Amino acid sequence: MMASKKELERHDLAGVLVLVTLLCSSSLVFGNDVVHHDNVAPKQPGCDNDFVLVKVPTYIDNDEKDVFVGVGARFGPTLPAKKKDSKQRRVVLADPPDCCSTPKNKLTGEVILVHRGNCSFTSKTNIAEAAGASAILVINSRKELFKMVCEVNDTFKEISIPAVMLPQDVGATLRESINRNLNVSLQLYSPDRPSVDVAEVFLWIMAVGTILCASYWSAWSDKEALIEQEKLLKDAADEYIRPDENSYSSVVDITTTSAILFVVIASCFLVMLYKFMSHRFIEVLVVIFCIGGIEGLQTCLVALLSCFRFFDHARDSYVKLPFLGTVSYLTLGVTPFCIVFAVVWAAYRRVSFAWIGQDILGIALIITVLQIVRVPNLKVGTVLLSCAFMYDIFWVFISKWLFHKSVMIVVARGDNSGEDGIPMLLKIPRMFDTWGGYSIIGFGDIILPGLLVAFSLRYDWLSKKNLRGGYFIWAIMAYGLGLLVTYLALNLMDGHGQPALLYIVPFMLGTLLTLGNKQRELENLWNKGEPERICPHEPSQ
């Protein structure tokens, strides 16, 4: 049993308004940001290490404090994988700070903290080793981690001490503690990261499952709408009355123009997020997410409870309220629960288990949006996904050349906001990864492909195709395969943020266009988006 027209109409505006915000989170992101502008840096004997992330637990007067993350250099020895195999050593400041000349202070196995610049990384490390340091920590001039490589025609002695780069803010923290005459020490080790974490499997299941649920709901709604239209036509046939074609309309059909404008507006909004990202801006996004989550959770709960006869009376009984109009008693009953759920999540969103509430609200919102917003044919779906494909590539990769950072990744992580990221993401903590963190996927990577999957199932149902002979099973398989390839690319590229639509869109469009052409239905799919009407009284679209 589906929600009635009166239940759905109130959600149209909220669903459409939140779409732009959702698309801004359409990049799949995971791991620390490690940057290097020279991807052709030479490898040579003694300078051919793989880049690894390094854990740096710090101690103040032998009491363990913060654990920071750095990146190992192309040169130097391999760091131990376990903490117990790493020695705890005292940290001292370099004098001069850049360590481009012999330090004035005598070193007896300490870790030396140096500034980046004025000479090569290998020169700093050779000088530090000659002065008696056991390791060198290079502090970057930015918050990102920079890969330390060897220069072209670089000549250096064989290096036997580890070199690790730390972000600018970490260096400032260590330097402040040392200047306060505190005894600062640390360890250096690099735990192995699992190739695949269980969190990625669950996130894949969550994304595919959400699209499956939303697609079946959308197709069932269309089926009920068709039955209702046929009944009205049958009743009106003798009186030559043409029923109102919009009598059941509670969905928003995307047009080709709106698909293009949608991506343009989303790009403008993304830049605004990038430029003005702050704690208060995140708070605004949290409010927007909560409003959308309440609407989505309410719609899903009303539809779910409507399936039980026990709630028939509450579902079919309405009360008129100021500003809200006509609302069912069932909606009144579930709304307070939805509001409390969203408010509690917002208040405790920084606790370790808050991701559960975020995912519940997010999934409900995605399902509701896919129920309300639809693509009418394959042409609109192709334009929308193609624009989103270019949007993802531009804002993840090309934006680095214009803004010196990947705009999409900065926004998704919530840099400079004091938060772990924007809330428009599904996330699961990495369960067997000693590095911790989350595997995440943006709402846009589910909603935009989901629109095409839902369209394919509606077409199959209206044309009475079986599962094997239809388009839906191939569309959902193409989405799942594209998302799987995204995760493979994510792990192969050291956890750098990947635009999921870069992999998903070619799989989906290629599959549907090829299959439509093979079944000689491509023209119908492309222009009309529905099978030929059997009933002669049915109004043509």
Side-chain angles (χ1 to χ4, degrees), residues 460 465-474 515 519 521:
D460 286 353
K465 289 180 178 287
N466 59 36
L467 192 62
R468 185 176 179 181
Y471 298 93
F472 168 72
I473 187 66
W474 299 103
L515 190 61
Q519 297 191 8
E521 294 181 314

Side-chain angles (χ1 to χ4, degrees), residues 291-535:
I291 293 173
I294 291 169
E295 292 280 339
L297 189 60
Q298 175 186 289
T299 302
C300 292
L301 286 177
V302 169
L304 181 63
L305 295 177
S306 295
C307 297
F308 300 95
R309 291 185 177 181
F310 181 80
F311 296 99
D312 283 354
H313 180 72
R315 181 196 65 207
D316 297 330
S317 301
Y318 296 89
V319 60
K320 196 168 185 178
L321 298 177
F323 305 109
L324 297 179
T326 304
V327 180
S328 72
Y329 284 106
L330 183 56
T331 299
L332 285 179
V334 302
T335 298
F337 168 78
C338 299
I339 294 174
V340 170
F341 188 91
V343 170
V344 170
W345 171 81
Y348 295 96
R349 67 182 185 277
R350 296 181 182 88
V351 301
S352 59
F353 53 84
W355 63 272
I356 299 174
Q358 179 171 326
D359 287 352
I360 291 173
L361 291 171
I363 289 173
L365 176 56
I366 292 170
I367 291 175
T368 302
V369 171
L370 289 176
Q371 165 66 14
I372 294 171
V373 182
R374 304 185 186 183
V375 292
N377 51 49
L378 186 56
K379 178 174 70 174
V380 173
T382 300
V383 171
L384 179 63
L385 285 187
S386 298
C387 290
F389 174 80
M390 293 183 287
Y391 168 93
D392 245 13
I393 293 175
F394 181 85
W395 291 113
V396 173
F397 295 131
I398 301 177
S399 62
K400 292 180 181 180
W401 300 97
L402 300 176
F403 298 89
H404 306 295
K405 293 182 181 179
S406 173
V407 173
M408 180 79 77
I409 293 178
V410 169
V411 170
R413 290 186 317 198
D415 288 4
N416 304 320
S417 66
E419 301 272 354
D420 289 334
I422 63 176
M424 285 73 177
L425 303 163
L426 296 185
K427 56 193 292 188
I428 298 180
R430 296 179 63 82
M431 302 174 188
F432 300 104
D433 191 344
T434 56
W435 291 96
Y438 292 88
S439 289
I440 64 178
I441 184 172
F443 286 178
D445 295 328
I446 302 176
I447 290 178
L448 297 179
L451 291 170
L452 202 56
V453 175
F455 161 76
S456 67
L457 183 59
R458 292 196 306 271
Y459 186 91
D460 286 353
W461 279 25
L462 292 174
S463 59
K464 296 180 171 50
K465 289 180 178 287
N466 59 36
L467 192 62
R468 185 176 179 181
Y471 298 93
F472 168 72
I473 187 66
W474 299 103
I476 195 67
M477 287 174 60
Y479 174 77
L481 185 59
L483 189 57
L484 179 63
V485 172
T486 304
Y487 279 115
L488 292 176
L490 199 62
N491 286 283
L492 289 174
M493 298 183 184
D494 299 325
H496 289 197
Q498 291 295 305
L501 296 180
L502 170 64
Y503 308 96
I504 294 172
V505 170
F507 274 100
M508 292 194 66
L509 292 184
T511 298
L512 290 177
L513 291 171
T514 302
L515 190 61
N517 184 62
K518 182 179 179 180
Q519 297 191 8
R520 298 181 179 180
E521 294 181 314
L522 184 56
E523 184 176 354
N524 201 40
L525 282 166
W526 185 263
N527 295 312
K528 194 172 182 181
E530 60 180 31
E532 295 295 334
R533 301 281 186 178
I534 298 175
C535 177

Side-chain angles (χ1 to χ4, degrees), residues 4-38:
S4 68
K5 174 187 174 184
K6 294 179 181 178
E7 297 294 331
L8 289 173
E9 282 180 336
R10 300 186 306 102
H11 305 290
D12 292 355
L13 183 58
V16 175
L17 289 178
V18 81
L19 266 177
V20 170
T21 307
L22 301 183
L23 184 58
C24 291
S25 61
S26 64
S27 172
L28 189 70
V29 185
F30 151 75
N32 298 83
D33 192 16
V34 183
V35 298
H36 193 281
H37 303 303
D38 183 9

Side-chain angles (χ1 to χ4, degrees), residues 239-255:
E239 302 177 14
Y240 301 99
I241 299 174
R242 180 171 178 173
D244 182 5
E245 293 180 18
N246 297 318
S247 59
Y248 184 82
S249 179
S250 59
V251 299
V252 177
D253 280 338
I254 300 176
T255 64

Side-chain angles (χ1 to χ4, degrees), residues 96-396:
D98 58 13
C99 198
C100 289
S101 58
T102 304
K104 297 177 182 178
N105 44 338
K106 295 237 177 184
L107 302 178
T108 55
E110 292 88 353
V111 177
I112 189 169
L113 191 69
V114 308
H115 290 178
R116 177 184 170 188
N118 299 328
C119 61
S120 68
F121 295 121
T122 53
S123 296
K124 294 177 187 290
T125 308
N126 277 323
I127 291 171
E129 182 178 3
S134 60
I136 180 172
L137 298 180
V138 180
I139 305 304
N140 196 13
S141 54
R142 296 181 179 178
K143 290 185 178 181
E144 294 88 356
L145 293 172
F146 190 89
K147 295 178 180 178
M148 294 188 289
V149 299
C150 301
E151 305 288 340
V152 179
N153 300 322
D154 196 2
T155 58
F156 59 93
K157 299 176 183 177
E158 186 175 347
I159 295 173
S160 58
I161 64 171
V164 176
M165 173 161 283
L166 293 175
Q168 183 183 43
D169 52 345
V170 174
T173 300
L174 293 175
R175 189 166 51 250
E176 180 184 358
S177 298
I178 295 173
N179 288 333
R180 289 166 52 196
N181 295 321
L182 298 176
N183 182 18
V184 180
S185 57
L186 52 78
Q187 292 175 281
L188 300 173
Y189 67 105
S190 179
D192 295 327
R193 167 165 267 163
S195 299
V196 178
D197 192 86
V198 177
E200 295 174 356
V201 178
F202 281 116
L203 197 64
W204 185 91
I205 294 173
M206 189 184 299
V208 174
T210 298
I211 290 180
L212 281 172
C213 292
S215 298
Y216 272 98
W217 186 1
S218 178
W220 188 266
S221 296
D222 260 29
K223 187 176 181 179
E224 285 197 337
L226 184 61
I227 292 172
E228 183 176 334
Q229 280 189 348
E230 289 176 346
K231 183 179 178 181
L232 290 173
L233 286 168
K234 184 178 179 181
D235 294 341
D238 296 335
E239 302 177 14
Y240 301 99
I241 299 174
R242 180 171 178 173
D244 182 5
E245 293 180 18
N246 297 318
S247 59
Y248 184 82
S249 179
S250 59
V251 299
V252 177
D253 280 338
I254 300 176
T255 64
T256 304
T257 303
S258 62
I260 297 172
L261 288 176
F262 175 47
V263 175
V264 173
I265 295 171
S267 296
C268 296
F269 190 68
L270 186 68
V271 173
M272 184 177 68
L273 286 173
Y274 173 78
K275 291 292 186 181
F276 302 104
M277 182 65 70
S278 64
H279 175 71
R280 290 191 176 183
F281 212 112
I282 291 291
E283 295 287 345
V284 173
L285 294 181
V286 168
V287 172
I288 294 174
F289 173 71
C290 285
I291 293 173
I294 291 169
E295 292 280 339
L297 189 60
Q298 175 186 289
T299 302
C300 292
L301 286 177
V302 169
L304 181 63
L305 295 177
S306 295
C307 297
F308 300 95
R309 291 185 177 181
F310 181 80
F311 296 99
D312 283 354
H313 180 72
R315 181 196 65 207
D316 297 330
S317 301
Y318 296 89
V319 60
K320 196 168 185 178
L321 298 177
F323 305 109
L324 297 179
T326 304
V327 180
S328 72
Y329 284 106
L330 183 56
T331 299
L332 285 179
V334 302
T335 298
F337 168 78
C338 299
I339 294 174
V340 170
F341 188 91
V343 170
V344 170
W345 171 81
Y348 295 96
R349 67 182 185 277
R350 296 181 182 88
V351 301
S352 59
F353 53 84
W355 63 272
I356 299 174
Q358 179 171 326
D359 287 352
I360 291 173
L361 291 171
I363 289 173
L365 176 56
I366 292 170
I367 291 175
T368 302
V369 171
L370 289 176
Q371 165 66 14
I372 294 171
V373 182
R374 304 185 186 183
V375 292
N377 51 49
L378 186 56
K379 178 174 70 174
V380 173
T382 300
V383 171
L384 179 63
L385 285 187
S386 298
C387 290
F389 174 80
M390 293 183 287
Y391 168 93
D392 245 13
I393 293 175
F394 181 85
W395 291 113
V396 173

